[in-house]
């Protein structure tokens, strides 16, 4: 301990004499003219002093020379430095020595008292003389005696100081200043005294156990006589706490005073005992009160900002005057009182609002503050997860919002992704929580989200969607795939996607083959080749159909060499099974069309043996040339529309019944067709009586006065549109397929287990099936399989099933 | 328009349209759609229990869907060609009617 102190002291000497700039943080000494004069003496002496010190150190560790002529001894032991050092010292300072013990002590005492009373030293008494006195006393009397005398001297002085404080009637600030002054003086004095008695410190103190250095002795005495006095201690600590409280209240205080006094407490080693605990308690009370009050008064962002401000302030306090060892406890205390106590309330009150309003700055702050408290991030994360679930559910659950659901989901996902990466440091657990929450809420509503996502993709891949460039479309598809990943019932998506894809392909509405292929490869990547093999088959069919048509045209030309064909036929041959199932219907067509169709069928079956062709009139579409009196037009129409319009070549007026019997188109489809021709934007026919819907007995008249700015007019949009029947059929088909899958899964399990209890069977089924099912549905399938003798109930235990091979 | 086809078909019957020189609507282009399937009596291959329109399990596994065609025997029963070619190695009878198996045609 004392050796450390000593090292510290010598460090101080060097810094004072050499740089003067570096001011060690312990004391700032207000120097009166007198003191600075003293200091000058010090400084002059110090250069030699340092050299002396070195030598003495060596001497101390070798044998102590009894005659007191140290430099000689040193000269012998240290050969190389001998000349330079020894000559200088020996010659200059071999002046009148003060030999007598008592005389020496008198000199020293006089010097010490002068320092204590901040007086000038006697003119003819140099620093050099004083060193010699110390040396003399050490060698000729005993160092212990000298030490004791010095201690007495110091003690007396310090005791005398106490009076000032006991009787001080000034207010706290003045009192604190008094203490501080006393302390700085004390330090200053002890330093100078220490300089004079350096030899004592280096020799006696270092070598003797249980004796503290002169500096430490001073501190001990100061503590013992001044600060262990209860009145002083209390007034001092209370004063400090009061000042800090004032500062926390927003006032400016004399920080250097607080700093100096706290350093004093640290130096006296009573910082922890007398100050820290009280300080932490005061802090806790303050912030506990403040936290409760502000939670009531302020909204969450303001509160968080306040907490951040407070934390910064406390950190500053540590930098500026508190002992660094307090840091952990202090910050912990603030965090606990301002954050931990209120974490539930904070998140419940503020998180939803912050997330709703996308207030990223506040959210970042929230994250950084919550990362400070134990379990804070876990809690934040779970609340974040809960928010996504509730908010997401509102997007998904309401059928009235179906039209915008996917776009809203995409936006919501973007927003949450942004928040996680910007505000939550992209932390893994938040990324996971985000995923988990999305997967959870998106499946809250069965099947519909999958259907709507498929339709959304259709909307983006359809021709005429010019809002996005290729890159944008690609990025959008990627985002959609992210949503798709969350969906459990992927079969629903597949069914609707397939239905829409087939329309895009067959009606030539696909915006870009590249985009289609890219989407397909994404699906393949996500769900495996089994999922997309049929979709790929559809694209293959389209390619094959082109080849077949080329061959067919070649064939036709060979058959009718000289004539060109005014009617251009192109047929898409679909492989059954790849494509959605379409209603099979026979319609009446003009004979030339029928013949053309037959020619093709003959050609096709001639090329492929063992096949049969089923024509699908619902998907056919045509281009009609129309010779309106107001100018010729080209109409893009569905096959049904074409069949209806072609009737009007013979007569100008037809009734609904007549049209039905002549075309044989199914009633609802025909009505829809007529509606599109007579009630849509481009009215090629006139309906009588006029109304929005087609009713029994309506008559349809060829519209002679038809006019339109465009030459080509599309009227076949109705084909692209999904009818509610179509939607239902697609859905039902999915459910039908699911039943087969459930049956297959049950039989698979039964075949393996032979005997299995009901509950186990159900839970295994949940594991195997990739789409959401209700236990009631499973029970139905089990019943059905029991009826069909695939399995039976155990006779003794009705809750167990046996496999029937 | 129909005339050309009619003439090639050497079919004297004219369409109704041709009676009227000023036809209001003429069909210029027709995009028709047809679905093909194997011309079979039973949809399922009795050997592998997979629909004949789908590839047999072996071909599905080996990703040779396109090559998996159908074969008809003289008995008019049909199977996946690959299923049948394995079957006849063990038993040269139709699995459904037990008649001697002889190939009527193979689908292409």
């Amino acid at each position: 301990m004392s050796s450390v102190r000593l090292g510290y002291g010598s460090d101080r000497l060097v810094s004072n004499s050499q740089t003067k700039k570096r001011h060690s943080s312990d004391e700032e000494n207000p120097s009166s003219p007198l003191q600075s004069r003293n200091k000058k003496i010090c400084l002059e002496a110090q250069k030699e002093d340092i050299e002396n010190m070195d030598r003495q150190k060596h001497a101390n560790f070798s044998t102590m020379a009894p005659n007191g002529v140290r430099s000689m001894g040193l000269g012998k032991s240290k050969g190389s430095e001998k000349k330079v050092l020894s000559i200088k010292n020996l010659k200059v300072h071999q002046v009148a020595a003060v030999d007598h013990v008592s005389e020496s002590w008198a000199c020293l005492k006089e010097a010490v008292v002068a320092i204590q009373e901040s007086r000038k030293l006697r003119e003819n008494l140099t620093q050099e003389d004083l060193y010699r006195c110390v040396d003399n006393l050490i060698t000729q009397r005993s160092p212990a005696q000298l030490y004791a005398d010095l201690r007495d001297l110091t003690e007396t002085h310090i005791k005398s100081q106490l009076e000032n404080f006991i009787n001080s009637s000034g207010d706290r600030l003045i009192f604190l200043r008094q203490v501080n002054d006393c302390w700085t003086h004390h330090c200053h004095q002890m330093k100078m005294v220490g300089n004079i008695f350096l030899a004592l410190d280096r020799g006696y103190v270092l070598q003797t156990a249980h004796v503290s250095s002169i500096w430490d002795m001073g501190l001990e005495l100061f503590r013992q006589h001044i600060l262990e006095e209860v009145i002083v201690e209390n007034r001092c600590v209370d004063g400090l706490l009061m000042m800090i409280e004032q500062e926390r209240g927003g006032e400016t205080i004399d920080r250097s005073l607080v700093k100096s006094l706290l350093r004093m407490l640290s130096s006296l080693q009573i910082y922890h005992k007398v100050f820290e605990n009280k300080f932490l308690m005061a802090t806790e009370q303050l912030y506990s009160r403040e936290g409760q009050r502000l939670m009531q008064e302020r909204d969450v962002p303001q509160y968080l900002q306040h907490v951040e401000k407070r934390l910064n302030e406390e950190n500053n306090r540590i930098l500026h005057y508190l002992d660094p060892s307090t840091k952990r406890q202090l910050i912990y205390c603030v965090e606990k009182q301002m954050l931990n106590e209120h974490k539930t309330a904070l998140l419940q009150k503020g998180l939803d609002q912050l997330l709703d309003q996308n207030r990223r700055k506040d959210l970042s702050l929230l994250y950084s503050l919550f990362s400070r408290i134990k379990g804070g991030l876990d809690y934040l994360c779970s609340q974040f997860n809960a928010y996504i679930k509730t908010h997401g559910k509102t997007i998904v659950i309401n059928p009235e919002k179906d039209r915008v659901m996917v776009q809203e989901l995409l936006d919501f996902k973007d927003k949450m992704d942004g928040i996680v990466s910007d505000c939550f440091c992209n932390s893994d657990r938040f990324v996971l929580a985000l995923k988990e929450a999305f997967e959870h809420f998106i499946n809250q509503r069965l099947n519909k989200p999958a259907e709507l996502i498929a339709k959304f993709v259709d909307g983006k891949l359809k021709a005429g969607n010019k809002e996005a460039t290729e890159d944008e479309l690609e990025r959008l598809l990627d985002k959609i795939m992210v949503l798709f990943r969350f969906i459990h019932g992927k079969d629903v998506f597949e069914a609707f996607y397939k239905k829409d894809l087939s329309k895009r392909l067959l009606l030539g509405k696909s915006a870009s083959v590249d985009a289609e292929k890219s989407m397909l490869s994404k699906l393949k990547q996500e769900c495996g080749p089994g999922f997309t093999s049929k979709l790929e088959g559809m694209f293959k069919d389209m390619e094959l159909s082109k080849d077949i048509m080329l061959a067919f045209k070649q064939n036709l030309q060979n058959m009718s060499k000289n004539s060109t064909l005014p009617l251009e036929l192109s047929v898409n041959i679909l492989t059954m099974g790849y494509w959605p199932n379409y209603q099979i219907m026979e319609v009446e067509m003009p004979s030339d069309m029928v013949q053309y169709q037959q020619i093709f069928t003959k050609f096709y079956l001639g090329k492929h043996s063992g096949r049969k062709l089923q024509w699908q009139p619902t998907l056919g579409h045509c281009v009609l040339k129309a010779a309106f009196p107001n100018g010729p037009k080209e109409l893009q129409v569905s096959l049904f529309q074409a069949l209806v319009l072609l009737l009007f070549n013979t007569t100008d007026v037809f009734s609904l019944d007549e049209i039905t019997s002549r075309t044989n188109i199914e009633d609802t489809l025909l009505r829809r067709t007529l509606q599109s021709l007579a009630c849509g934007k481009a009215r090629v026919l006139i309906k009588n009586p006029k109304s929005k819907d087609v009713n029994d007995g309506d008559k349809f008249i060829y519209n002679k006065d038809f006019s339109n700015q465009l030459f080509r007019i599309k009227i076949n949009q109705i084909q692209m549109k999904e009818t509610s029947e179509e939607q239902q059929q697609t859905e039902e088909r999915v459910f039908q397929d699911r039943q087969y899958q459930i049956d297959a899964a049950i039989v698979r399990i039964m075949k393996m287990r032979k005997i299995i209890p009901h509950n186990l069977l159900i839970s295994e089924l949940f594991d195997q099936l990739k789409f959401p099912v209700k236990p009631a549905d499973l029970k139905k399938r089990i019943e059905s399989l029991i009826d069909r003798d695939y399995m039976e109930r155990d006779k003794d235990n009705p809750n167990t099933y046996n496999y029937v091979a | 328009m129909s005339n050309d086809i009619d003439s090639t078909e050497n079919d004297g019957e004219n369409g109704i349209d041709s009676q009227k020189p000023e036809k209001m609507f003429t069909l210029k282009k027709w995009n028709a759609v047809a679905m093909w399937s194997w011309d079979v009596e039973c949809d399922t291959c009795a050997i592998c229990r997979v629909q004949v329109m789908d590839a047999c399990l072996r071909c599905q596994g080996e990703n040779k869907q396109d090559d998996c065609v159908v074969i008809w025997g003289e008995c008019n029963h049909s199977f996946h060609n690959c299923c049948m070619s394995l079957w006849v190695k063990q038993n040269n009878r139709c699995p459904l009617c037990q008649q001697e198996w002889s190939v009527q045609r193979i689908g292409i």
Side-chain angles (χ1 to χ4, degrees):
Chain A
M1 183 63 206
S2 61
S3 76
V4 174
R5 281 288 168 189
L6 207 61
Y8 173 74
S10 73
D11 173 51
R12 172 164 297 265
L13 281 178
V14 173
S15 66
N16 270 350
S17 63
Q18 288 183 340
T19 57
K20 258 190 147 183
K21 259 185 267 167
R22 201 187 120 197
H23 213 114
S24 139
S25 57
D26 259 8
E27 313 103 51
E28 287 149 41
N29 299 326
S31 37
S32 64
L34 184 84
Q35 282 166 330
S36 67
R37 160 111 179 85
N38 279 348
K39 196 180 251 173
K40 216 175 255 168
I41 299 173
C42 269
L43 290 178
E44 279 164 15
Q46 270 163 4
K47 269 186 193 158
E48 293 123 304
D49 188 46
I50 295 163
E51 288 155 9
N52 268 334
M53 236 164 53
D54 278 349
R55 257 170 275 148
Q56 278 167 5
K57 225 182 219 163
H58 288 293
N60 280 342
F61 289 113
S62 60
T63 39
M64 178 91 85
N67 59 358
V69 194
R70 274 165 194 276
S71 34
M72 293 299 281
L74 176 98
K76 277 171 199 162
S77 66
K78 270 247 169 182
S80 59
E81 290 170 23
K82 178 176 140 192
K83 276 176 194 164
V84 187
L85 295 172
S86 63
I87 290 170
K88 190 176 160 195
N89 280 334
L90 282 173
K91 281 185 180 167
V92 179
H93 294 292
Q94 256 180 353
V95 241
V98 198
D99 287 330
H100 260 286
V101 171
S102 55
E103 214 173 310
S104 295
W105 172 242
C107 278
L108 285 174
K109 187 175 176 180
E110 187 191 337
V112 171
V113 172
I115 290 172
Q116 284 171 347
E117 292 170 6
S118 302
R119 270 190 290 109
K120 247 186 206 173
L121 281 179
R122 195 151 35 96
E123 277 297 324
N124 58 354
L125 195 62
T126 62
Q127 193 90 359
E128 189 61 32
D129 297 332
L130 291 174
Y131 289 149
R132 207 168 303 282
C133 291
V134 174
D135 261 357
N136 284 341
L137 285 170
I138 289 173
T139 48
Q140 293 177 16
R141 210 171 45 163
S142 89
Q145 182 65 48
L146 178 59
Y147 186 86
D149 287 346
L150 181 60
R151 189 185 143 93
D152 286 346
L153 210 52
T154 317
E155 189 166 10
T156 325
H157 174 69
I158 291 177
K159 270 182 175 168
S160 72
Q161 301 283 311
L162 183 63
E163 294 301 309
N164 297 337
F165 302 123
I166 303 273
N167 299 327
S168 163
S169 56
D171 73 355
R172 282 178 179 174
L173 190 61
I174 295 171
F175 178 80
L176 289 178
R177 285 199 203 288
Q178 270 177 333
V179 175
N180 189 39
D181 284 348
C182 176
W183 164 251
T184 44
H185 281 144
H186 170 80
C187 292
H188 191 69
Q189 289 158 10
M190 287 315 291
K191 205 162 61 187
M192 294 208 294
V193 170
N195 281 347
I196 296 171
F197 289 84
L198 201 63
L200 189 66
D201 245 351
R202 296 279 154 128
Y204 169 70
V205 174
L206 206 61
Q207 286 184 336
T208 319
H210 310 304
V211 175
S212 37
S213 71
I214 294 172
W215 175 260
D216 285 344
M217 184 251 301
L219 292 180
E220 263 164 48
L221 290 172
F222 193 86
R223 180 176 69 217
Q224 199 179 331
H225 295 296
I226 307 237
L227 276 157
E228 284 189 356
E229 197 62 44
V230 181
I231 303 175
V232 180
E233 181 197 303
N234 284 348
R235 287 196 78 179
C236 186
V237 170
D238 290 350
L240 283 169
L241 291 178
M242 185 196 70
M243 284 183 79
I244 294 174
E245 196 176 326
Q246 278 173 352
E247 194 188 43
R248 281 175 174 158
E251 292 171 42
T252 331
I253 58 161
D254 183 355
R255 281 187 159 187
S256 60
L257 175 63
V258 180
K259 173 178 175 177
S260 169
L261 286 169
L262 286 173
R263 288 286 179 277
M264 171 185 82
L265 294 180
S266 296
S267 304
L268 298 178
Q269 297 177 9
I270 52 173
Y271 175 85
H272 295 284
K273 201 176 84 194
V274 303
F275 176 77
E276 195 180 38
N277 286 341
K278 280 189 180 177
F279 168 72
L280 287 174
M281 256 161 61
T283 309
E284 192 165 312
Q285 279 168 8
L286 173 76
Y287 286 127
S288 159
R289 260 180 285 127
E290 184 169 287
Q292 279 163 10
R293 183 169 54 83
L294 293 183
M295 276 302 289
Q296 300 292 325
E297 288 174 8
R298 302 196 180 180
D299 64 10
V300 172
Q302 277 178 329
Y303 183 83
L304 293 174
Q305 275 154 21
H306 181 78
V307 176
E308 194 195 24
K309 198 184 96 198
R310 281 302 196 194
L311 283 165
N312 282 337
E313 282 173 6
E314 294 305 332
N315 264 320
N316 268 329
R317 225 151 262 151
I318 284 160
L319 285 178
H320 282 111
Y321 50 78
L322 291 172
D323 193 276
S325 63
T326 312
K327 177 170 180 171
R328 210 182 53 80
Q329 283 168 290
L330 173 63
I331 298 300
Y332 173 77
C333 176
V334 182
E335 286 164 357
K336 180 167 180 280
Q337 295 303 331
M338 306 274 297
L339 289 171
N340 213 0
E341 295 285 312
H342 305 289
K343 65 178 179 188
T344 320
L346 272 174
L347 292 190
Q348 278 172 2
K349 204 170 127 190
L351 184 62
D352 288 10
Q353 180 201 0
L354 293 182
L355 289 170
D356 275 341
Q357 298 170 4
N358 201 7
R359 290 170 68 164
R360 305 227 167 156
K361 238 171 134 186
D362 293 326
L363 284 165
S364 303
L365 178 59
L366 183 71
Y367 180 85
S368 77
L369 289 178
F370 269 68
S371 64
R372 289 166 160 272
I373 54 179
K374 200 180 160 216
L377 284 187
D378 287 330
Y379 188 59
L380 177 61
C381 190
S382 72
Q383 291 298 307
F384 176 64
N385 179 284
Y387 166 82
I388 296 176
K389 283 181 183 167
T390 16
H391 186 85
K393 200 172 168 186
T394 61
I395 299 178
V396 167
I397 212 76
N398 185 358
E400 282 169 25
K401 281 171 74 185
D402 281 356
R403 217 169 39 83
V404 289
M405 184 205 287
V406 179
Q407 190 56 54
E408 277 192 15
L409 283 175
L410 288 172
D411 294 345
F412 185 52
K413 181 77 177 26
D414 267 355
K415 186 171 143 188
M416 291 301 122
D417 278 344
I419 286 174
V420 168
S421 69
D422 286 6
C423 310
F424 299 157
C425 301
N426 233 344
S427 132
D428 282 349
R429 66 172 114 186
F430 281 86
V431 174
L432 272 179
L434 176 70
K435 275 190 190 155
E436 196 273 328
F438 260 83
E439 188 169 337
H440 178 265
F441 82 71
I442 223 171
N443 289 299
Q444 288 278 301
R445 185 149 170 230
L446 295 180
N447 307 324
K448 202 70 188 177
E451 177 188 331
L452 291 176
I453 289 174
K455 285 177 180 167
F456 186 84
V457 178
D458 176 55
K460 295 295 169 193
L461 292 177
K462 222 184 268 182
N465 171 37
K466 280 167 193 142
E467 48 194 288
T469 65
E470 255 175 57
D471 287 350
E472 282 167 351
L473 185 62
E474 186 68 21
R475 245 172 290 141
L476 183 69
L477 292 180
D478 280 333
K479 284 183 184 170
I480 288 180
M481 286 310 294
V482 175
L483 289 185
F484 173 71
R485 222 161 278 158
F486 296 131
I487 297 254
H488 286 156
K490 294 193 166 53
D491 46 355
V492 177
F493 175 90
E494 196 235 351
F496 281 95
Y497 187 79
K498 191 185 198 180
K499 178 183 71 68
D500 292 332
L501 172 63
S502 85
K503 280 195 178 176
R504 288 202 296 278
L505 292 178
L506 295 179
L507 301 177
K509 297 289 184 189
S510 179
S512 131
V513 181
D514 290 345
E516 294 282 3
K517 289 269 163 74
S518 140
M519 184 67 196
L520 203 59
S521 75
K522 285 185 212 305
L523 287 173
K524 192 171 185 173
Q525 221 172 22
E526 187 62 37
C527 303
F531 189 81
T532 49
S533 69
K534 294 199 169 168
L535 300 175
E536 278 165 20
M538 291 164 72
F539 283 96
K540 240 178 260 163
D541 277 349
M542 295 304 286
E543 297 291 322
L544 282 177
S545 298
K546 269 186 207 157
D547 296 345
I548 291 169
M549 285 325 291
L550 274 180
F552 176 61
K553 272 175 194 149
Q554 201 75 47
N555 183 276
L556 270 188
Q557 273 167 12
N558 292 343
M559 283 185 355
S560 56
K561 274 180 184 118
N562 299 322
S563 54
T564 48
L565 293 164
L567 169 58
E568 194 187 328
L569 173 70
S570 89
V571 185
N572 284 312
I573 313 287
L574 317 182
T575 308
M576 177 101 82
Y578 287 170
W579 299 71
N581 288 324
Y582 295 105
Q583 231 175 317
I584 294 170
M585 54 178 73
E586 296 287 337
V587 292
E588 289 296 322
M589 293 195 291
S591 57
D592 52 335
M593 287 173 85
V594 176
Q595 278 163 10
Y596 210 163
Q597 196 171 288
Q598 281 167 356
I599 295 170
F600 179 82
T601 310
K602 208 168 144 192
F603 167 79
Y604 182 80
L605 295 182
K607 289 207 124 198
H608 294 274
S609 94
R611 297 190 183 192
K612 60 184 177 194
L613 274 188
Q614 175 67 53
W615 293 88
Q616 301 283 352
T618 37
L619 295 165
H621 59 111
C622 311
V623 177
L624 274 186
K625 275 199 275 191
F628 288 109
N630 288 338
K633 301 282 177 198
E634 270 191 20
L635 305 179
Q636 263 195 35
V637 288
S638 72
L639 178 64
F640 291 162
Q641 287 170 328
L643 293 180
V644 171
L645 290 180
L646 285 173
L647 292 180
F648 287 86
N649 280 340
T650 50
T651 322
D652 282 353
V653 184
F654 280 101
S655 71
L656 178 63
D657 288 343
E658 283 171 315
I659 298 176
T660 311
S661 65
R662 280 176 186 245
T663 58
N664 198 22
I665 299 175
E666 192 262 335
D667 191 53
T668 44
L669 288 175
L670 180 61
R671 282 175 200 253
R672 201 174 292 133
T673 307
L674 285 169
Q675 196 180 21
S676 68
L677 291 171
C679 313
K681 272 185 195 151
R683 301 189 175 183
V684 193
L685 299 180
I686 296 168
K687 190 170 85 80
N688 189 20
K690 279 186 183 167
S691 66
K692 259 193 157 183
D693 294 310
V694 177
N695 298 307
D696 294 346
D698 282 357
K699 287 199 177 344
F700 294 89
I701 305 142
Y702 163 63
N703 183 4
K704 282 194 188 68
D705 304 324
F706 180 82
S707 68
N708 197 305
Q709 288 172 316
L710 300 168
F711 176 64
R712 285 167 204 270
I713 304 162
K714 287 183 189 171
I715 330 182
N716 69 333
Q717 285 90 339
I718 51 160
Q719 272 183 304
M720 278 307 279
K721 248 199 202 145
E722 182 195 52
T723 62
S724 58
E725 296 101 70
E726 240 180 314
Q727 196 265 344
Q728 273 170 11
Q729 280 165 12
T730 314
E731 227 172 33
E732 274 162 24
R733 212 162 298 130
V734 175
F735 296 150
Q736 195 67 45
D737 283 350
R738 283 184 181 180
Q739 294 202 332
Y740 295 137
Q741 288 194 46
I742 297 173
D743 286 358
I746 295 175
V747 173
R748 255 200 315 275
I749 296 168
M750 290 308 298
K751 197 168 184 174
M752 204 164 65
R753 300 279 187 140
K754 307 292 187 221
I755 301 167
I756 191 172
H758 176 79
N759 288 341
L760 196 57
L761 176 62
I762 297 288
S763 73
E764 284 211 17
L765 280 174
F766 277 125
D767 284 348
Q768 282 203 8
L769 297 171
K770 285 172 190 150
F771 46 84
V773 273
K774 295 194 196 84
D777 298 338
L778 296 181
K779 272 187 193 159
K780 269 187 217 156
R781 298 319 303 159
I782 293 173
E783 288 300 331
S784 148
L785 285 171
I786 290 175
D787 288 345
R788 284 182 281 163
D789 285 336
Y790 279 90
M791 53 202 277
E792 63 182 15
R793 275 182 220 284
D794 194 279
K795 285 178 190 91
D796 306 323
N797 187 355
N799 269 336
T800 302
Y801 304 112
N802 296 333
Y803 180 60
V804 179
Chain B
M1 57 169 219
S2 56
N3 296 340
D4 300 303
I5 304 167
D6 292 347
S7 59
T8 54
E9 286 289 293
N10 204 9
D11 190 342
E13 187 192 307
N14 279 340
I16 320 154
D17 303 353
S18 57
Q19 292 166 354
K20 239 180 152 185
E22 273 296 308
K23 279 187 291 184
M24 277 178 283
F25 298 106
T26 340
L27 195 55
K28 187 185 170 200
K29 193 170 179 211
W30 178 19
N31 292 292
V33 174
M35 195 82 88
W36 78 265
S37 55
W38 298 114
D39 188 11
V40 291
E41 285 174 1
C42 176
D43 284 343
T44 319
C45 166
I47 301 173
C48 68
R49 310 299 301 168
V50 173
Q51 297 211 335
V52 284
M53 272 318 285
D54 293 335
C56 67
L57 287 177
R58 187 176 301 266
C59 290
Q60 279 185 32
E62 290 164 18
N63 209 7
K64 293 195 295 190
Q65 279 93 334
D66 294 343
D67 305 330
C68 196
V69 293
V70 174
I71 191 166
W72 287 261
E74 284 300 342
C75 56
N76 226 10
H77 288 129
S78 51
F79 310 93
H80 287 120
N81 193 7
C82 357
C83 295
M84 198 60 208
S85 60
L86 285 175
W87 179 272
V88 291
K89 281 181 191 162
Q90 296 185 353
N91 180 357
N92 196 24
R93 292 180 180 280
C94 169
L96 290 176
C97 60
Q98 300 301 321
Q99 283 180 35
E100 186 88 2
W101 179 256
S102 65
V103 177
Q104 180 197 87
R105 57 176 171 169
I106 297 177
I108 29 169

